[in-house]
């Protein structure tokens, strides 16, 4: 599900923050910000298809090396960018987020509490052994084992049984109707590993140097845990129609944003996803390749102020509403994100329905449009006064890693001052910041903290359920609302996507009043690919998928 551990993008000049990120955007304040390099057209999900093979490329592995090569252990950008190419999920997620046959040749959901997969009899692991129902049951059940500490365990909380129900068939049973879970079978939460090889490694499974036996188009050639990870094409990959076009891919990591940008510009890196805003001015002028910037809704990422407790300076919903109403989202998107982001008025923004059928999209878009606001300091100050919060101290944490959150925190501090709130901002070292997501004691000192949040697939119900339901993985503040809870449970059990959207909107309308999280901006797709390669996806679908198999020569 959604991962919230990263905000590592470099700082822009502090001068951009003067006057609180004043924006020239008029009207609703939610207009699509026009960026000179925005060049992804509606319905365009990949760069041009590759026409030939390549011997090797070097790609950005994001901001650090993987902590583990076990597909379940860490759900964050580095692991999810790389490991989907090695350990396939049951289903393939397309660049348009569609679910397609993979290790499972087909699936069906005869009712809300059963999900049935038919395995492709051709599928085999990198060592030539067939992918069996025993391997699939073992792999999926690892998510249920607390000793495995799967980062996808939350997605399985309503799964009561995983078993083989016929030759070549695996059935999952749920404790309550669930038509949303199937999307997780296109993520690493549905990754299949070879049972015997995994058990043989014991606690070493996933560590550098230990064999990872999966069925993907690539195998791990080498990984020292620090400098580079090399993937090598599996020449005997079981599905020729999805075989890799590039023989070898080396992933590297750059802690210095300037060095990262230079490596892309000079060709030392063939390409990369999730680029920092500071790279845009250089790479849009690069003669060695092309910078791709998507439009509104081109990712399922969002930047939010997460409310970490409901008994402090932000305890009154009116105070949270006031702060939200005063934020100049368009200004933040334009300056801090160099225009490669959009104002966000719900944690579930356009990226969560941009590829949905028109009938579903219409439900979400209509409801979302009603949430759009322009900054209103007078109204916000009045709400603060009504809440009896004038002069109250609100303590906000952010990661002090050289990213945009430092600037954003300063903007929020200025915004709070303008409406009568005393916002204290605290920059935390990355490790200490990371503790906020796992340690209630670490969160107790703060009323909220800034976070980059995402879901690997565009399902609004799953995002809302993660932070606005009582058993949600990200309900850090203890927020609960019976109406929201009932609407999300109903949506989860809806087979009809239009009816599900209507239920989700019911929850969204209440969440927009309660604001357990305050949405700020939605980053756009920012990707660079040099002239020697093509085929990379232009959506967030690269997370957990075998995207690299499509990359080859122009």
């Amino acid at each position: 599900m959604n991962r919230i551990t990263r905000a590592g993008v470099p700082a822009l000049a502090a001068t951009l923050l003067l006057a609180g990120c004043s924006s020239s955007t008029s009207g609703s304040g939610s207009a699509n910000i026009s960026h000179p390099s925005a060049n992804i057209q509606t319905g365009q999900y990949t760069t041009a298809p590759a026409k030939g093979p390549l011997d090797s490329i070097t790609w950005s592995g994001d901001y650090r090396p993987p902590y583990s090569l076990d597909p379940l252990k860490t759900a964050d950008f580095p692991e999810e960018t790389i490991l989907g190419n090695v350990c396939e999920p049951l289903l393939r997620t397309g660049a348009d987020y569609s679910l397609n046959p993979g290790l499972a040749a087909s699936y069906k959901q005869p009712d809300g509490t059963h999900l049935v997969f038919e395995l492709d009899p051709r599928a085999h692991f990198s060592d030539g052994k067939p992918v069996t129902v025993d391997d699939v049951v073992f792999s999926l059940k690892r998510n249920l084992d607390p000793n495995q500490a799967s980062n996808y365990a939350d997605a399985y909380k309503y799964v009561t049984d995983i078993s083989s129900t016929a030759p070549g068939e695996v059935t999952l049973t749920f404790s309550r109707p669930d038509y949303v879970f199937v999307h997780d079978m296109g993520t690493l939460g549905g990754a299949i590993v070879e049972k015997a090889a995994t058990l043989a490694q014991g606690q070493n499974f996933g560590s550098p140097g230990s064999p990872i036996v999966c069925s993907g188009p690539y195998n791990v050639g080498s990984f020292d845990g620090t400098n580079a990870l090399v993937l090598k094409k599996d020449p005997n990959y079981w599905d020729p129609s999805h075989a890799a076009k590039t023989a070898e891919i080396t992933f590297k990591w750059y802690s210095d944003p300037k060095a990262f940008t230079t490596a892309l510009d000079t060709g030392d890196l063939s390409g990369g996803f999730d680029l920092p805003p500071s790279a845009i001015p250089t790479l849009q002028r690069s003669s060695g390749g092309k910078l791709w910037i998507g439009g509104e809704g081109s990712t399922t990422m969002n930047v939010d102020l997460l409310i970490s407790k409901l008994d402090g300076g932000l305890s009154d919903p009116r105070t949270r509403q006031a702060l939200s109403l005063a934020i100049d989202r368009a200004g933040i998107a334009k300056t801090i994100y160099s225009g490669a982001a959009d104002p966000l008025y719900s944690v579930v923004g356009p990226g969560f329905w941009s590829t949905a059928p028109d009938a579903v999209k219409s439900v979400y878009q209509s409801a979302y449009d009603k949430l759009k606001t322009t900054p209103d300091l007078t109204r916000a100050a009045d709400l603060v006064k009504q809440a009896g919060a004038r002069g109250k101290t609100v303590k906000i944490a952010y990661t002090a890693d050289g990213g945009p959150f430092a600037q954003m925190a300063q903007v929020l501090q200025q915004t709070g001052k303008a409406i009568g709130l005393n916002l204290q901002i605290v920059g935390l070292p990355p490790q200490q910041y990371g503790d906020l997501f796992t340690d209630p004691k670490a969160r107790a000192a703060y009323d909220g903290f800034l976070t980059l949040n995402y879901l690997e697939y565009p399902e609004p119900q799953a995002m809302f359920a993660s932070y606005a339901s009582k058993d949600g993985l990200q309900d850090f503040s203890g927020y609960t609302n019976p109406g929201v809870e009932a609407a999300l449970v109903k949506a989860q059990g809806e087979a009809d996507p239009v009816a599900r959207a209507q239920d989700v909107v019911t929850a969204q309308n209440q969440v927009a009043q309660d604001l357990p999280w305050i949405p700020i901006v939605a980053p756009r797709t920012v990707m660079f690919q040099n002239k020697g390669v093509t085929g990379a996806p232009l959506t967030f679908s690269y997370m957990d998928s075998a995207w690299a198999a499509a990359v080859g020569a122009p």
Side-chain angles (χ1 to χ4, degrees), residues 341-428:
D342 294 280
L344 188 64
Y345 302 96
S346 169
V347 172
V348 172
F352 283 82
W353 66 81
S354 62
T355 58
D358 288 344
V360 175
K361 188 185 304 183
S362 177
V363 174
Y364 285 120
Q365 186 68 61
S366 177
Y368 184 75
D369 287 343
K370 295 175 183 178
L371 300 178
K372 295 176 179 179
T373 61
T374 51
D376 188 337
L377 300 183
T378 301
R379 173 61 178 152
D382 185 53
L383 285 170
V384 171
K385 183 178 179 181
Q386 291 178 32
R390 284 189 62 83
K392 272 194 174 182
T393 296
V394 176
K395 201 170 183 181
I396 303 298
Y398 64 93
T399 176
D401 62 353
F405 283 8
Q407 295 99 316
M408 201 176 307
Q410 292 175 46
V411 170
L412 291 181
Q413 186 178 51
Q414 296 168 13
T415 301
K417 183 178 180 180
I419 62 175
L421 292 176
N422 177 27
L423 259 69
Q424 292 184 0
I425 56 175
V426 181
L428 300 175

Side-chain angles (χ1 to χ4, degrees), residues 234-489:
D234 183 349
N236 299 310
Y237 180 59
W238 66 273
D239 186 353
S241 65
H242 287 82
K245 294 179 172 59
T246 298
E248 182 175 292
I249 301 178
T250 300
F251 288 94
K252 292 185 176 181
W253 304 275
Y254 289 80
S255 58
D256 178 14
K258 290 184 179 179
F260 177 33
T261 303
T262 299
L264 289 168
D265 187 32
T266 60
D268 288 343
L269 280 175
S270 305
F273 306 110
D274 191 33
L275 306 187
S278 64
I280 291 174
T282 296
L283 296 180
Q284 68 185 2
R285 298 189 302 268
S286 177
S287 60
K290 186 172 184 178
L291 177 71
W292 297 83
I293 297 179
E296 185 178 25
S298 54
T299 75
T300 50
M301 291 192 287
N302 48 71
V303 174
D304 318 287
L305 175 60
L306 187 160
I307 310 303
S308 51
K309 61 182 180 181
L310 296 175
D311 59 356
L314 293 173
S315 59
D316 192 309
R318 291 170 295 186
T319 310
R320 303 193 293 273
Q321 292 166 11
L323 185 56
S324 179
L325 182 59
I327 295 173
D328 184 0
R329 293 171 169 84
I332 290 171
K334 181 178 180 181
T335 55
I336 297 178
Y337 285 86
S338 295
D342 294 280
L344 188 64
Y345 302 96
S346 169
V347 172
V348 172
F352 283 82
W353 66 81
S354 62
T355 58
D358 288 344
V360 175
K361 188 185 304 183
S362 177
V363 174
Y364 285 120
Q365 186 68 61
S366 177
Y368 184 75
D369 287 343
K370 295 175 183 178
L371 300 178
K372 295 176 179 179
T373 61
T374 51
D376 188 337
L377 300 183
T378 301
R379 173 61 178 152
D382 185 53
L383 285 170
V384 171
K385 183 178 179 181
Q386 291 178 32
R390 284 189 62 83
K392 272 194 174 182
T393 296
V394 176
K395 201 170 183 181
I396 303 298
Y398 64 93
T399 176
D401 62 353
F405 283 8
Q407 295 99 316
M408 201 176 307
Q410 292 175 46
V411 170
L412 291 181
Q413 186 178 51
Q414 296 168 13
T415 301
K417 183 178 180 180
I419 62 175
L421 292 176
N422 177 27
L423 259 69
Q424 292 184 0
I425 56 175
V426 181
L428 300 175
Q431 180 58 53
Q432 192 175 345
Y433 171 79
D435 291 341
L436 299 177
F437 300 98
T438 58
D439 185 357
K441 293 182 179 179
R443 292 195 294 271
Y446 306 100
D447 294 290
F449 51 97
L450 290 167
T451 176
L452 172 67
N453 189 278
Y454 67 85
L455 193 64
E456 293 90 342
Y457 51 82
E459 175 47 69
Q461 190 278 344
M463 175 59 86
F464 275 124
S466 75
Y467 80 93
S469 61
K470 60 186 178 183
D471 58 354
L473 179 67
Q474 300 182 95
D475 185 13
F476 298 127
S477 66
Y479 168 79
T480 183
N481 182 291
V484 170
E485 196 78 30
L488 292 176
V489 170

